[in-house]
Amino acid sequence: MTLISRCSLALLFTGIAGAALAADNPLSVHVLNLENGLPSPEVRVTLEQLQATGWQPLSEGTTNQQGRVTALFPAGKELESGTYKVTFKTGDWFAQQQTNTFFPEVPVIFQTDGEVDHYHIPLLLSPYGYSTYRGN
């Protein structure tokens, strides 16, 4: 088997494994750089849940080479209806790119109601603006 064939096969299995993991996890995120249209790897992302006492940390992750965290919600924990906050640590990422930014963090606060099994939060990012929406 050639090196190219082995690499292609490895990528295929990695994609399948990632998709299987994401299918079991109720929350994923994706970061794309609007300046060049490319994924943003190595963006640190945190997840918190709003409780009566304030924001409680649940998990954190770092985007992969495709700009994704496919399983941000803690394994073995049930996604409850409620208010959550995903915070993208964009200042750190832009500093790694040697680019100034106006937004050192992008917090995205959202509510879950149990109507869907999976929530996906894409972030379209540039140094001086961003956009997000509920994806699938």
Side-chain angles (χ1 to χ4, degrees):
M1 182 180 274
T2 67
L3 179 60
I4 293 174
S5 296
R6 279 186 263 175
C7 288
S8 297
L9 193 57
L11 287 172
L12 175 66
F13 286 128
T14 300
I16 291 169
L21 181 59
D24 292 338
N25 195 280
L27 181 63
S28 60
V29 299
H30 190 192
V31 183
L32 291 170
N33 183 341
L34 279 175
E35 281 192 300
N36 59 18
L38 296 175
S40 300
E42 299 186 24
V43 176
R44 198 163 51 88
V45 183
T46 61
L47 174 64
E48 300 169 274
Q49 184 178 19
L50 185 59
Q51 302 288 334
T53 57
W55 292 106
Q56 300 301 310
L58 291 179
S59 70
E60 64 179 54
T62 302
T63 57
N64 62 19
Q65 288 304 110
Q66 292 80 39
R68 298 176 184 273
V69 177
T70 59
L72 188 57
F73 202 77
K77 185 170 169 56
E78 184 81 19
L79 178 68
E80 304 167 351
S81 294
T83 303
Y84 295 86
K85 176 170 51 172
V86 169
T87 303
F88 298 88
K89 306 296 185 173
T90 54
D92 296 342
W93 185 81
F94 277 115
Q96 291 172 355
Q97 310 306 308
Q98 300 178 338
T99 302
N100 291 329
T101 183
F102 187 68
F103 300 104
E105 294 185 340
V106 176
V108 178
I109 299 171
F110 63 99
Q111 292 183 327
T112 61
D113 56 11
E115 295 287 320
V116 297
D117 293 332
H118 183 84
Y119 294 87
H120 181 68
I121 301 172
L123 176 67
L124 305 175
L125 181 62
S126 76
Y128 298 100
Y130 65 87
S131 177
T132 188
Y133 57 94
R134 179 179 150 183
N136 61 11

